[in-house]
Amino acid sequence: MWRRIALFGGCLFLAVAVFGSIKAYSAKVKDADLSKTTPILLVHGTHGTENSFNGMISRMIATYGHSSDKVIITVKKDGTLVYDGTLSDKSKNPFIQVVFENNDAPIDQEAKWVDAVIKDIQNKYNVTQFDAIGHSNGGLALTTYAEKLADDAAPVMEKLVVIGTPFNDLDEEDNAATADFIDVANRTEALQDYIANNGKLDSKLQVLSIAGDLDDNQVSDGVVPVQSALSSRLIFANQVASYSEKIVTGSNAQHSDLHENTAVDAIIANFIY
């Protein structure tokens, strides 16, 4: 009896040793080589989930045919990255969706998580360049990353799309009801910080800012004032290779619906592809 237990224990130890070594080895093997394509990184806004960009990703793949495959990277509260999905060497402009388990974290923390994801996909997939799309505060996290955390060793962010991003916060008193402005009604501390650091942006970056105008009166998308979203011009214009703006109007321009709007899909596809 004892011999059988000892034998079983020895076999179990051997199995753990073998499979443990396989797991460790597999972790070092790149899942795919994406060095010859441009992945598209997506970052949701506050309280967003993996469902935030699911619809847009599916529509973009089906409608435009310039992207294939997607992977979801969940950033756990302790910073651990969990991958769901598989990419291959044949993946074309694949979508890499970033999901924060703590989806109400400060922007600076989200930017650090974005930085961790970018470094990980550089190692895992040999990513050398990428495009990025951020909805709402996801656009702030990407902008903070671009200004404060990106370095010469990191993959190059070639194009950035910000959708309904509150660069000058949400107060209508700080944001007049007009899209035709040289400056906002009042610069918030956050906007001033973005402007102060815009000299650190990559001069080759291309930026598209999309604002929602729910009632076609240049007030807001129901959450973010149009002027706040378009105060991106004070940050990016004359600092990057190209900067453009689009205003989407109508009932589908509501803040949470912007990434479910096919007009927004088309604007992004025209810019990204």
Side-chain angles (χ1 to χ4, degrees):
M1 178 68 176
W2 289 109
R3 288 184 61 190
R4 276 185 286 180
I5 293 175
L7 180 61
F8 175 76
C11 291
L12 181 62
F13 176 79
L14 180 61
V16 170
V18 170
F19 286 106
S21 65
I22 290 174
K23 182 178 180 181
Y25 175 76
S26 298
K28 298 178 182 177
V29 176
K30 295 187 186 301
D31 288 11
D33 184 355
L34 302 181
S35 60
K36 295 182 180 179
T37 191
T38 304
I40 302 169
L41 197 75
L42 303 102
V43 181
H44 62 69
T46 299
H47 300 142
T49 67
E50 65 182 64
N51 294 321
S52 297
F53 278 112
N54 268 347
M56 175 181 285
I57 291 172
S58 297
R59 293 190 305 270
M60 296 281 277
I61 290 175
T63 304
Y64 300 100
H66 295 294
S67 288
S68 66
D69 304 329
K70 76 167 185 176
V71 68
I72 297 174
I73 304 176
T74 300
V75 184
K76 308 296 281 186
K77 293 179 180 179
D78 64 359
T80 301
L81 306 182
V82 178
Y83 285 70
D84 181 16
T86 303
L87 303 179
S88 74
D89 292 352
K90 295 182 180 180
S91 295
K92 180 174 61 174
N93 300 326
F95 289 102
I96 298 178
Q97 187 178 358
V98 180
V99 177
F100 303 127
E101 184 179 54
N102 178 5
N103 58 12
D104 194 19
I107 298 302
D108 284 347
Q109 178 59 67
E110 291 186 350
K112 291 177 182 177
W113 286 333
V114 167
D115 182 44
V117 167
I118 291 170
K119 288 177 179 175
D120 204 60
I121 62 174
Q122 181 182 32
N123 178 64
K124 190 176 183 68
Y125 298 126
N126 197 24
V127 170
T128 57
Q129 69 283 318
F130 68 98
D131 296 332
I133 301 172
H135 174 248
S136 194
N137 280 356
L140 296 182
L142 286 166
T143 301
T144 300
Y145 164 79
E147 286 192 343
K148 298 182 178 181
L149 299 174
D151 57 44
D152 292 340
V156 176
M157 184 192 293
E158 295 189 331
K159 296 179 180 180
L160 170 63
V161 180
V162 288
I163 308 170
T165 297
F167 287 104
N168 200 42
D169 219 326
L170 305 178
D171 197 331
E172 291 185 4
E173 292 184 1
D174 295 328
N175 300 281
T178 177
D180 181 18
F181 63 93
I182 297 176
D183 205 345
V184 294
N186 178 60
R187 292 186 181 185
T188 62
E189 183 178 344
L191 178 59
Q192 292 182 57
D193 186 61
Y194 282 118
I195 294 172
N197 286 282
N198 67 359
K200 301 174 184 177
L201 292 166
D202 188 336
S203 61
K204 296 180 181 179
L205 179 65
Q206 300 177 59
V207 179
L208 166 65
S209 181
I210 300 174
D213 187 3
L214 190 60
D215 296 318
D216 198 16
N217 55 8
Q218 299 186 341
V219 174
S220 79
D221 61 13
V223 176
V224 177
V226 170
Q227 194 171 89
S228 179
L230 297 186
S231 61
S232 50
R233 71 178 61 157
L234 304 178
I235 301 166
F236 297 106
N238 302 317
Q239 294 294 326
V240 295
S242 70
Y243 170 77
S244 57
E245 301 171 348
K246 294 288 184 181
I247 300 176
V248 179
T249 61
S251 59
N252 290 335
Q254 196 278 335
H255 185 70
S256 297
D257 290 336
L258 284 170
H259 49 62
E260 302 301 330
N261 190 322
T262 55
V264 172
D265 292 352
I267 292 169
I268 292 175
N270 185 62
F271 177 73
I272 290 284
Y273 300 126

